[in-house]
Amino acid sequence: MQVTKLNSESILPLTCSRSGSCCFGKDVMLNPWELFSFSQEKKISIRDFRDLYSEFGGIQLLFDGKTDKKGQKACSQYLENAGCSVHIGRPLACRLYPLGRQVQFEKAEYIYEGNAFPCLTDCSEVLDLPKLSVGEYLKGQKAHQYEKALDAYLMIMQNIADIGFELLLDSGLSASGDIKTLAIWRIIGKETHQESAKRIGKEWMDYLMIPNIKNHENNPVIFAQKHSDLLLLKAQEKFGNLQTFEELHKASVLIIAVALHLSRGLRADTKGLSEHWIETAKSHGAKE
């Protein structure tokens, strides 16, 4: 699909008409900070929000509400004639829409998909409203904190993957002639969200999506750092005394699956990441 790249000065019809059409039929992916923000606004626990209103262990917001004229289901948080019931706690995808955000070489760019500006399909009335620059729009949407959360979790995703590399490359597993670990890494990269969630299992899904974190002052960077520390500690507990190559293989597969599942919630290129990690491991002596 064609992508139009933007800068902060780009002027677009970004004043929302509040029609609610964007609350139907979307794939809204979530990271752990966004689950926390939703739960705070909903005044329930992160676990309860995850279990009631998301799918695949918490990485995707559930759309199971009223059906619109196109047959699309509404977001689980959408109230007819009222709009979003947790608007203050909404995730980055909702704050950016109709824009997207790409991160390449540690630089973020804003985009929209297709030849025509997305809102014009269902909300042509926006043409009669004041136009905004991308920078003005993002400031009004208070997207900055959520962008910081996304960037922090992209780093955590790589930190988790690094554990998988260590289990394969530094443990003797790769040197033993193992060829099945990378083959399964490749399979994981192609799995559906549902298959990925099943592979990880409840225990690691809870570690990944609903961390027990206090005293973070509603700061996404502190929240993410504390979460990273918890995940690394849990990996040390679980994988620190593995004895056999089969145990090491299973651990490496599991932790890469965790990293790739997080990548789905971050809207990263999961298949591309899997292939990149495989080639990186091969460059350090691993075989497939």
Side-chain angles (χ1 to χ4, degrees), residues 269-282:
D269 177 7
T270 300
K271 181 180 177 182
L273 276 171
S274 173
E275 297 294 334
H276 173 67
W277 290 344
I278 289 167
E279 293 307 313
T280 301
K282 285 182 176 180

Side-chain angles (χ1 to χ4, degrees), residues 74-186:
C75 170
S76 56
Q77 305 308 303
Y78 180 76
L79 298 177
E80 190 174 4
N81 300 320
C84 180
S85 63
V86 284
H87 188 70
I88 294 175
R90 68 197 184 282
L92 182 61
C94 299
R95 292 171 189 271
L96 293 182
Y97 188 85
L99 308 182
R101 183 176 185 262
Q102 288 182 335
V103 179
Q104 293 181 319
F105 308 111
E106 300 183 354
K107 179 183 178 182
E109 293 184 314
Y110 300 97
I111 62 167
Y112 66 80
E113 295 181 344
N115 297 319
F117 189 62
C119 288
L120 301 184
T121 302
D122 296 313
C123 306
S124 59
E125 63 271 20
V126 298
L127 289 174
D128 298 323
L129 299 173
K131 292 186 177 182
L132 297 172
S133 71
V134 169
E136 290 170 334
Y137 180 67
L138 296 175
K139 184 176 180 180
Q141 291 293 308
K142 298 181 179 179
H144 183 57
Q145 287 283 79
Y146 290 81
E147 290 183 305
K148 289 200 294 185
L150 176 63
D151 292 341
Y153 271 100
L154 285 168
M155 293 181 63
I156 289 173
M157 175 194 72
Q158 185 60 58
N159 291 342
I160 297 170
D162 286 345
I163 300 170
F165 279 97
E166 291 172 9
L167 289 163
L168 173 61
L169 300 172
D170 299 342
S171 65
L173 174 60
S174 175
S176 75
D178 170 81
I179 60 171
K180 61 182 182 178
T181 301
L182 291 187
I184 299 181
W185 285 19
R186 192 182 303 279

Side-chain angles (χ1 to χ4, degrees), residues 5 13 20 42 74 88-89 96 133 156 197 200 208 223 285:
K5 292 187 177 182
K42 201 80 172 177
I88 294 175
L96 293 182
S133 71
I156 289 173
I200 292 170
L208 178 63
F223 183 95

Side-chain angles (χ1 to χ4, degrees), residues 29-40 45-47 49-50 54 57-60 89 91 146 149-154 156-157 160 204-213 216 219-220 223-228 230-231 258-259 261-267:
M29 310 309 292
L30 303 172
N31 62 55
W33 166 259
E34 291 172 326
L35 275 180
F36 164 76
S37 297
F38 262 142
S39 70
Q40 288 286 96
S45 70
I46 306 176
R47 181 183 296 275
F49 189 93
R50 191 272 306 267
S54 75
I59 63 166
Q60 186 166 341
Y146 290 81
L150 176 63
D151 292 341
Y153 271 100
L154 285 168
I156 289 173
M157 175 194 72
I160 297 170
W204 272 98
M205 190 66 76
D206 285 356
Y207 296 152
L208 178 63
M209 297 307 297
I210 51 173
N212 182 19
I213 297 174
H216 48 75
N219 183 315
F223 183 95
Q225 184 57 60
K226 288 178 178 290
H227 193 180
S228 180
L230 287 174
L231 287 168
V258 171
H261 198 70
L262 177 58
S263 81
R264 301 170 195 274
L266 302 175
R267 278 198 175 277

